[in-house]
Amino acid sequence: MTEKVTTAIKTKKQEIFPVKNIHHIELYTGNAKQAAFYYAKAFGFKLVAYKGLETGSRDRVSYVLEQGAIRLVLTGSLSDNTEIAEFVKKHGEGAKDISMLVKELDKTYYEAIERGGIAIKEPWIEEDENGKVKKAIIGTYGDTIHTIIESIDYKGPFLPGFEAYEDPYQSSSTGLVGVDHVVGNVEDMEEWTNYYEKVFGFSVLKHFDDDDISTEYSALMSKVMTNGTGRIKFPINEPAEGKRKSQIEEYLDFYKGAGVQHIALLTNDIISTIAKLKENGVEFLTTPDTYYEELASRVGEIDEDVKKIQDLNILVDRDDEGYLLQIFTKPLVDRPTLFIEIIQRKGALGFGDGNFKALFESIEREQERRGNI
Ligand code: TYF
Ligand code: FE
């Protein structure tokens, strides 16, 4: 499978939207308390902060979970008429906010809006006894948003309004260390890749079209957008014509529009991470043994024990820079929408396009069981 554009456009010029990193990802849930329990127990996150009735938050409750550099915020509604309740009614549980840490928030926000960014909320300041942060909100595909945050030396456990939470779960880490990429499913890929180019100054890192990634039903197109430093990667998928119903179409039908399809989390030791996640009950897509018969000839020598890789059903792919190991959970929510990818990079900068066929066939087996083909 060929990649249409293989090199990141690394410009020396000043970034028009200087993002430091992903600050947190917020999921809107029907029951944040139970979601927190699940992500803590199954994925090994620590519960670090909370806001809710006890802290003076009357309309919403949020639990903040941490592992490595990953911060996951699980939010639920305390009433019937909040945007959270509306979101969950329409989309089911899903990712609302991919929040980013920026510099010079006012300038960054207003310039982005001038370039066509969707203005959701103008800059405001939040403050408590631990310090101050500045925030603003820019819209993206569907009901998804990017809250941008500038920390003015904030010292609290998360953000103003949150209190430290004594973690009742004390789960041990599964070795997750950071966010590698966050993927959106949309109806019109060009519309949204243009949006990231224009508004956020991102560029196309890779482009996969339906010749690359078309199996029985899964046909899709994908462009990976990245910021100037290459640290933030947002692939955008669009359904393409196939023989049957595309997995992206299935998502859009059930999510009722565009939204986050998967969040890829990094580990430095995928064998240990996946062994722990499976032990904790996390369900992953499976790959047939024939995949492993061809593995050695496809990717050559790897550091890992191939038998362990096969036992755990981990996928491997090689590109010009090195190789990567990856595996995908089944959907984490009731609808066939949001899932998580676990990825370990050993030099590779790609997204595992050599695995697309095996992966998409696996997704299609699930799609078939759901009667959505
Ligand atoms: O992020 C990626 O590109 C890979 C592969 O529906 C992928 O994780 C692409 C599309 C998709 C599922 C996985
Ligand atoms: Fe991915």
Side-chain angles (χ1 to χ4, degrees):
M1 294 188 191
T2 48
E3 288 158 10
K4 299 296 177 285
V5 180
T6 48
T7 43
I9 302 159
K10 290 216 174 68
T11 46
K12 286 256 155 54
K13 67 174 194 279
Q14 181 96 30
E15 278 183 89
I16 60 171
F17 193 95
V19 198
K20 290 189 186 162
N21 50 43
I22 293 182
H23 184 273
H24 66 267
I25 296 172
E26 181 172 26
L27 307 187
Y28 276 4
T29 72
N31 187 334
K33 190 184 188 102
Q34 288 190 2
F37 181 86
Y38 171 74
Y39 287 99
K41 289 283 193 184
F43 285 88
F45 282 87
K46 294 230 168 318
L47 180 44
V48 297
Y50 167 80
K51 81 174 177 190
L53 294 173
E54 298 82 350
T55 70
S57 170
R58 305 304 300 175
D59 71 330
R60 66 183 58 204
V61 47
S62 293
Y63 293 85
V64 182
L65 303 184
E66 240 176 54
Q67 189 170 177
I70 310 159
R71 283 201 211 101
L72 207 56
V73 180
L74 302 162
T75 295
S77 179
L78 292 171
S79 181
D80 59 340
N81 57 2
T82 61
E83 45 127 0
I84 305 148
E86 261 156 44
F87 181 102
V88 172
K89 180 180 180 199
K90 179 173 177 189
H91 304 293
E93 301 202 351
K96 171 67 184 178
D97 192 358
I98 308 157
S99 170
M100 298 185 276
L101 197 62
V102 301
K103 296 180 273 197
E104 297 183 276
L105 183 131
D106 289 288
K107 180 172 180 287
T108 302
Y109 175 80
Y110 287 110
E111 287 182 2
I113 299 310
E114 232 159 74
R115 291 189 298 266
I118 302 163
I120 306 264
K121 196 167 173 191
E122 300 227 328
W124 79 98
I125 287 177
E126 287 185 358
E127 200 166 357
D128 66 11
E129 66 280 7
N130 295 309
K132 237 195 235 194
V133 304
K134 226 179 225 187
K135 288 183 177 179
I137 304 178
I138 303 172
T140 182
Y141 47 77
D143 289 325
T144 318
I145 57 171
H146 293 301
T147 298
I148 55 173
I149 299 180
E150 180 180 359
S151 169
I152 305 155
D153 207 17
Y154 188 69
K155 299 236 160 43
F158 180 57
L159 285 170
F162 284 82
E163 290 183 2
Y165 201 90
E166 173 110 34
D167 183 1
Y169 310 124
Q170 299 292 325
S171 304
S172 50
S173 163
T174 59
L176 300 173
V177 295
V179 176
D180 187 83
H181 57 274
V182 183
V183 184
N185 282 347
V186 303
E187 263 136 36
D188 184 346
M189 179 180 76
E190 288 300 322
E191 177 188 351
W192 292 104
T193 54
N194 288 340
Y195 184 78
Y196 278 96
E197 271 177 355
K198 207 169 60 147
V199 176
F200 298 103
F202 282 29
S203 53
V204 179
L205 178 64
K206 282 175 198 296
H207 180 191
F208 307 105
D209 68 19
D210 46 342
D211 298 334
D212 299 319
I213 39 186
S214 159
T215 60
E216 196 75 23
Y217 322 123
S218 256
L220 62 93
M221 294 190 284
S222 185
K223 267 189 188 176
V224 181
M225 305 308 292
T226 188
N227 74 325
T229 65
R231 266 182 81 161
I232 300 195
K233 287 168 281 188
F234 292 155
I236 310 270
N237 297 332
E238 170 192 303
E241 279 305 312
K243 291 202 199 97
R244 309 279 287 272
K245 184 175 183 161
S246 163
Q247 54 156 311
I248 309 303
E249 204 65 52
E250 186 196 30
Y251 176 102
L252 295 170
D253 283 355
F254 277 86
Y255 199 74
K256 303 293 169 200
V260 172
Q261 179 211 39
H262 74 269
I263 300 168
L265 302 177
L266 285 162
T267 170
N268 294 323
D269 182 355
I270 199 163
I271 290 182
S272 137
T273 294
I274 301 308
K276 285 179 187 147
L277 292 174
K278 288 194 169 177
E279 165 105 8
N280 294 349
V282 177
E283 290 180 281
F284 291 91
L285 296 175
T286 55
T287 314
D289 287 336
T290 49
Y291 173 90
Y292 294 94
E293 287 158 19
E294 293 151 19
L295 187 65
S297 61
R298 204 167 56 78
V299 301
E301 281 281 305
I302 56 171
D303 303 335
E304 293 73 16
D305 177 347
V306 177
K307 175 156 188 323
K308 283 190 187 154
I309 294 288
Q310 177 165 3
D311 285 347
L312 293 167
N313 253 268
I314 293 165
L315 305 173
V316 191
D317 194 27
R318 190 177 280 284
D319 62 22
D320 294 341
E321 291 85 13
Y323 68 97
L324 62 79
L325 307 108
Q326 62 185 169
I327 185 169
F328 299 82
T329 71
K330 292 185 178 179
L332 296 178
V333 294
D334 294 335
R335 303 186 197 184
T337 53
L338 179 70
F339 60 87
I340 283 182
E341 168 183 355
I342 308 294
I343 180 166
Q344 181 176 7
R345 293 188 180 276
K346 294 220 151 168
L349 300 174
F351 289 80
D353 46 307
N355 290 325
F356 282 179
K357 189 167 184 294
L359 167 64
F360 295 158
E361 282 171 359
S362 177
I363 293 175
E364 283 156 18
R365 285 193 292 278
E366 298 295 318
Q367 212 179 327
E368 200 148 15
R369 298 207 303 141
R370 294 190 283 259
N372 295 327
I373 52 168

